[in-house]
Amino acid sequence: MSSGPKQSQWKLLAMIVESLVLYAAPVWSKAYSLVKVKRKLNQMQRNMALRVRSGYCTGEVAFIIADVPPLDLLVQERSDPHAGMEKGQARETMLDRWQDRWTNAQKGP
């Protein structure tokens, strides 16, 4: 029986993958609006979030438990400073959007 990476190793791997995906996000953020691109990236990120917490959550819960903001919000956060917003404000705005999404999400069965 072989054991896989530990939770901390999955978190590090998730952070590396996130950095690679978000590289130059302001340049390619318009492509993220394509359903096929969004579906692939969200599926990849959700799988990483599940690995970080070694759980079987669904929807927004996986991101909350893994403490990983959804990619669409991270892409927007990276793009906001290029539209004239300060980085700190872009982060606060992203966290507010994430909180709104969680507050309005369908939770439970």
Side-chain angles (χ1 to χ4, degrees), residues 64-82:
I64 297 293
I65 292 174
D67 192 28
V68 177
L71 273 177
D72 62 315
L73 298 179
L74 292 172
V75 168
Q76 185 65 46
E77 177 191 7
R78 296 283 174 98
S79 300
D80 284 344
H82 292 275

Side-chain angles (χ1 to χ4, degrees), residues 23-102:
Y23 179 76
V27 175
W28 62 264
S29 63
K30 291 193 189 315
Y32 192 77
S33 65
L34 299 173
V35 174
K36 186 176 182 179
V37 172
K38 187 180 283 191
R39 188 179 314 130
K40 276 285 194 196
L41 288 174
N42 286 345
Q43 181 182 21
M44 178 270 311
Q45 189 193 27
R46 183 177 176 278
N47 287 338
M48 291 298 294
L50 290 173
R51 297 284 189 263
V52 168
R53 290 298 179 199
S54 301
Y56 299 96
C57 306
T58 59
E60 293 294 316
V61 176
F63 299 117
I64 297 293
I65 292 174
D67 192 28
V68 177
L71 273 177
D72 62 315
L73 298 179
L74 292 172
V75 168
Q76 185 65 46
E77 177 191 7
R78 296 283 174 98
S79 300
D80 284 344
H82 292 275
M85 187 183 292
E86 293 182 18
K87 284 186 177 183
Q89 181 62 39
R91 184 66 175 182
E92 283 186 39
T93 300
M94 185 276 297
L95 292 173
D96 289 342
R97 288 175 183 151
W98 193 18
Q99 181 62 52
D100 289 343
R101 185 179 290 182
W102 173 245

